[in-house]
């Protein structure tokens, strides 16, 4: 269940926000869960700022984990839905269908680069910290890529050159640079209270 208050960096921020909600469904209760999901999704659509909801169904029938992706236009509207009496009633109806309480994670964009492998993310770092670490990562990555790729891609058309170099840059940032910088700046990004 959603027991923990959502974290917000400032009340004035109004960028789109996504909640990723995980439910582990009891074996044999899949049809009941599907009916429950369609009902709660219909009610969520009635709330201000709702941008859409979808679900990722389990591929493995031994571990029935459904992942619900819920999008709202801003944090306050998402919070209103997540803490509403209507949703609370739906969560009560869900209890006989699931093995353990749901998990809710909120994302606004950049924080997917700022996850620590040994710690599930409760709330993202402040946006200015994410911006500074991302800026440092791009600052380190672009010159290195330009130096390495320029001789190899110089004979290609400009658009293809940019397509390859930006694709490699994003892959490097996502899988190599950002995970290491997040670990390096861990204490600054996630200070211990």
């Amino acid at each position: 269940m959603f027991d923990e208050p959502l974290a917000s960096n400032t009340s004035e921020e109004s960028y789109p926000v996504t909640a990723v909600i995980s439910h582990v469904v009891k074996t044999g209760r899949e049809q009941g869960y599907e009916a429950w999901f369609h009902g709660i999704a219909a009610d969520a659509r009635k709330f201000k700022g709702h941008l859409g909801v979808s679900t990722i169904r389990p591929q493995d029938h031994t571990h029935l984990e459904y992942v619900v992706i819920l999008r709202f236009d801003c944090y306050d509207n998402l919070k209103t839905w997540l803490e509403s009496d209507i949703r609370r009633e739906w969560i009560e109806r869900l209890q006989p269908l699931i093995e353990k309480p749901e998990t809710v994670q909120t994302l606004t964009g950049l924080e997917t680069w700022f996850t620590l492998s040994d710690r599930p993310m409760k709330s993202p770092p402040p946006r200015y910290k994410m911006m500074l670490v991302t800026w440092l990562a791009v600052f380190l990555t672009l010159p290195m890529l330009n130096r390495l790729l320029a001789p190899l891609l110089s004979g290609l058309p400009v658009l293809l050159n940019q397509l390859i170099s930006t694709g490699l840059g994003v892959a490097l940032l996502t899988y190599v640079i950002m995970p290491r910088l997040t670990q390096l700046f861990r204490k600054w990004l996630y200070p211990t209270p």
Side-chain angles (χ1 to χ4, degrees), residues 14 62 153:
S14 60
T62 59
L153 303 178

Side-chain angles (χ1 to χ4, degrees), residues 23-43 45 53-61 63-68 90 93-98:
H23 298 129
V24 179
V25 176
K26 292 177 181 175
T27 303
R29 304 305 300 261
E30 299 91 343
Q31 285 184 329
Y33 180 83
E34 289 286 343
W36 175 88
F37 173 75
H38 290 293
I40 192 172
D43 277 347
R45 285 185 195 99
V53 62
S54 56
T55 186
I56 301 171
R57 290 167 175 80
Q59 301 299 313
D60 177 10
H61 294 289
H63 182 69
L64 298 174
E65 182 176 13
Y66 288 75
V67 178
V68 177
W90 278 107
R93 293 182 212 167
L94 174 66
Q95 298 315 302
L97 305 174
I98 58 175

